[in-house]
Amino acid sequence: MDHGDTICAIATAPGEGAVGMVRLSGPRALSLALLASGRDDLQPRRMVAATLRDPEGGPALDQVLLCHMAAPASYTGEHVVEVFGHGGPLNLRRLLHLFLGLGARLAEPGEFTRRAFENGRMALDQAEAVAQIISARNEHAL
């Protein structure tokens, strides 16, 4: 299934931590990461350091690590970029809003996994298992 839009979301659990991740998936994931980082290219499956900033100007937002997974060899089967920035809800929301402002849209709950299923990257029972693991509240459920 071809999705014409690029989605993004904070992909780490809410709360404070040293590192947090914003994930992008879709046809513009790579170009948006390049635009925000000022880089010319990201080699697939190689993590690189970058400074993100609004391309319209302004101060640096965060020093991050970027990792691009090229379609179709990614979780969703689309181009995926994972942005590892300093953790904490305020900074991660700031990074998320950078990509939303550049044209990505906020992913719906479970949309990365749904895209993986729709793009043949996992079977339905695997997608359901991901949802069950995420929502598990005790060892028995896990």
Side-chain angles (χ1 to χ4, degrees):
M1 176 167 281
D2 178 36
H3 297 280
D5 59 350
T6 297
I7 58 173
C8 66
I10 296 171
T12 47
E16 296 178 6
V19 177
M21 189 208 344
V22 173
R23 180 178 292 135
L24 296 103
S25 182
R28 294 190 58 219
L30 178 59
S31 64
L32 294 180
L34 294 175
L35 185 61
S37 67
R39 295 185 60 89
D40 293 329
D41 193 22
L42 293 174
Q43 295 300 314
R45 303 197 181 279
R46 301 224 188 248
M47 193 168 288
V48 298
T51 300
L52 296 189
R53 57 177 29 103
D54 184 334
E56 298 296 321
L61 298 176
D62 196 10
Q63 292 180 329
V64 302
L65 295 173
L66 300 173
C67 187
H68 170 232
M69 279 75 64
S74 71
Y75 180 75
T76 62
E78 303 171 328
H79 288 297
V80 170
V81 175
E82 293 181 344
V83 180
F84 298 90
H86 290 89
L90 291 176
N91 190 55
L92 292 175
R93 280 197 302 268
R94 179 169 59 176
L95 298 179
L96 176 66
H97 285 283
L98 169 65
F99 293 110
L100 293 173
L102 294 176
R105 74 164 172 81
L106 187 61
E108 298 170 10
E111 188 169 5
F112 291 100
T113 301
R114 188 184 81 226
R115 286 183 178 211
F117 168 70
E118 291 172 347
N119 290 323
R121 295 294 294 164
M122 66 174 58
L124 181 58
D125 61 336
Q126 292 172 308
E128 290 172 341
V130 169
Q132 290 174 348
I133 290 169
I134 291 169
S135 65
R137 299 291 181 244
N138 58 54
E139 286 293 318
H140 178 62
L142 185 59

